[in-house]
Amino acid sequence: MPTHATFRTLQATWLENALRQYAALSEPGPGVSRLAYTRLERQAHELFAAQLADLGIPSHTDAAGNTIGELPPNAGPRPGAIGTGSHLDSVPHGGAYDGVVGVVGALAVAAAAGAHDRPRHHPWRFVAFAAEEGARFGQACNGSRMVAGLTGAPDLRQLTDSTGTTMAAAMAECGLAPHDVEAARWDPRDWSAFVELHIEQGTVLQDRGVPIGLVDTVSGSTRLRVSLTGVASHTGGTPMDGRHDALATAAECVLGCERLALAAAEVNTRITVGSLTVEPGAITIIPGRVVFTVDVRETDHGRQRTATDAVSRHCRAVAARRGVDIEIEELADTPPVGLSSEVRSAAGDAAATLGLATAVIPSGASHDTQQVSRLTAAGIVFVPSRGGLSHSPDEFSTAEQIADGTAVLLETMYRLDAR
Ligand code: HGY
Ligand code: MN
Ligand code: MN
Ligand code: MN
């Protein structure tokens, strides 16, 4: 077993190369663009399967597009597996680390476990989940929701992207089997624990100078689509009073959302309008129609619902005062999840063995582990994000930080395996 220092040096180089290989699978433009259920996401899963195969680990891709490898190879179905992994899709022009760090970390663990004769009592599984980002279809964690039985075939025909393409059609286009996703469901008896390595996507670890985060709660997310229909008209001929300007209405809504979050006593309330479209979108026409999305995050579901209701009430009041029609669709409502204290303490002991300080912190971002935690004891290990930036081309974590996280991941897996 290499010393932690050796492991760290070896790993840092290998990890950097692996991260570069995944980052190359992207649409052109700044950052990484590898959206859910696109050809590029499938190529990333094919790369993962090939890297597992290089380690002598066979894998399969399920109907939902998740790719899963297992040690020992070809041992047949055995209960009580220990799993690790994350996702390979990205947001448009996102970073090279979100999700991928957990997948290359799983590969590094698979390589180390396969190479050493340290005993393992349970099957170990290495997972790349499909379609974790909600950027394309509005709902996050799709592949992991399907293994947890939270999203089924009928839902896939309802979820659409901005072009009106359903998730089912996009999956079929990628050669997957949307009609058969029930077959992708995991049996809780097949699992005994799951742990995900992920970048923090916040600044707590960096601010505190701590290399490892142990997540206690993953924030929930309620996502809305708000459509405002006013009256498009001539910007010169139409007097200011009596206008029904959809964009001015939206502007009041957006600033109101920000005000509601800032006023919330609980620091974990976060409300963001991330996308907004304007029609007809011409300089001489008063905007007649605006559609925008709202993402409400919280670590307490009661506060998450209260904040969402306050957002709807505010937008409806502004639209009524301005004589603009409003439609509010709820795209998703994922409650916050408390993660397994047993997995968290195994990771804390692992970090202590490696001489790495830890901090127990909540996650503002959602993760596949949220869904997996409905099936088995699950946890998340964070590594620092430079400046807390994520979902941005400037997302960055050093190879050494990721190597530390991978060393903790490996040691955590052995501890969970030995329970
Ligand atoms: O949206 C999220 O929090 C995650 O990155 N899917
Ligand atoms: Mn992620
Ligand atoms: Mn993300
Ligand atoms: Mn995730």
Side-chain angles (χ1 to χ4, degrees), residues 54-375:
D54 288 349
L55 297 170
I57 300 174
S59 61
H60 73 279
T61 295
D62 66 17
N66 304 306
T67 304
I68 305 165
E70 179 169 318
L71 268 180
N74 308 316
R78 290 170 54 198
I82 315 276
T84 187
S86 191
H87 61 96
L88 288 173
D89 61 316
S90 79
V91 296
H93 308 301
Y97 300 81
D98 177 1
V100 180
V101 157
V103 172
V104 298
L107 283 163
V109 164
H116 306 124
D117 51 8
R118 196 166 160 183
R120 289 189 311 279
H121 311 89
H122 297 257
W124 285 23
R125 291 198 187 116
F126 310 99
V127 184
F129 289 107
E132 191 266 1
E133 295 293 355
R136 182 178 177 190
F137 293 99
Q139 176 173 285
C141 303
N142 295 289
S144 47
R145 288 177 62 90
M146 287 179 226
V147 303
L150 297 168
T151 292
D155 307 309
L156 307 179
R157 294 191 289 272
Q158 303 303 319
L159 289 159
T160 59
D161 68 8
S162 56
T163 66
T165 305
T166 65
M167 189 178 283
M171 291 172 76
E173 184 77 21
C174 291
L176 300 170
H179 54 279
D180 196 21
V181 290
E182 309 307 324
R185 284 189 70 165
W186 290 356
D187 181 334
R189 292 166 299 183
D190 286 353
W191 297 83
S192 65
F194 186 89
V195 51
E196 178 175 5
L197 181 67
H198 204 283
I199 54 172
E200 180 198 341
Q201 300 173 300
T203 57
V204 173
L205 296 180
Q206 175 184 277
D207 294 350
R208 295 190 196 169
V210 170
I212 299 293
L214 306 173
V215 178
D216 53 1
T217 306
V218 182
S219 293
S221 169
T222 304
R223 300 184 180 183
L224 306 175
R225 182 185 290 132
V226 180
S227 304
L228 297 170
T229 307
V231 177
S233 182
H234 197 294
T235 52
T238 313
M240 286 312 288
D241 58 354
R243 288 187 174 193
H244 303 285
D245 182 332
L247 184 51
T249 305
E252 269 204 67
C253 290
V254 173
L255 290 175
C257 286
E258 185 185 50
R259 217 177 16 257
L260 284 167
L262 291 170
E266 174 50 59
V267 290
N268 289 337
T269 299
R270 295 172 186 174
I271 306 174
T272 312
V273 174
S275 67
L276 182 143
T277 55
V278 184
E279 293 171 17
I283 186 167
T284 56
I285 309 173
I286 300 169
R289 180 162 167 77
V290 168
V291 179
F292 63 85
T293 58
V294 188
D295 181 2
V296 181
R297 304 275 178 120
E298 242 294 348
T299 51
D300 171 278
H301 200 216
R303 288 196 295 265
Q304 186 178 321
R305 291 308 314 178
T306 305
T308 302
D309 295 345
V311 164
S312 299
R313 265 197 317 277
H314 168 72
C315 294
R316 290 190 193 288
V318 173
R321 177 163 40 83
R322 287 171 168 271
V324 167
D325 290 338
I326 184 169
E327 185 198 344
I328 301 179
E329 297 162 77
E330 187 163 298
L331 300 177
D333 179 48
T334 309
V337 167
L339 296 181
S340 156
S341 55
E342 192 182 2
V343 173
R344 191 164 52 253
S345 61
D349 295 346
T353 307
L354 295 163
L356 293 166
T358 58
V360 176
I361 58 175
S363 172
S366 60
H367 298 287
D368 294 307
T369 297
Q370 231 162 322
Q371 321 310 334
V372 176
S373 69
R374 293 162 184 266
L375 298 165

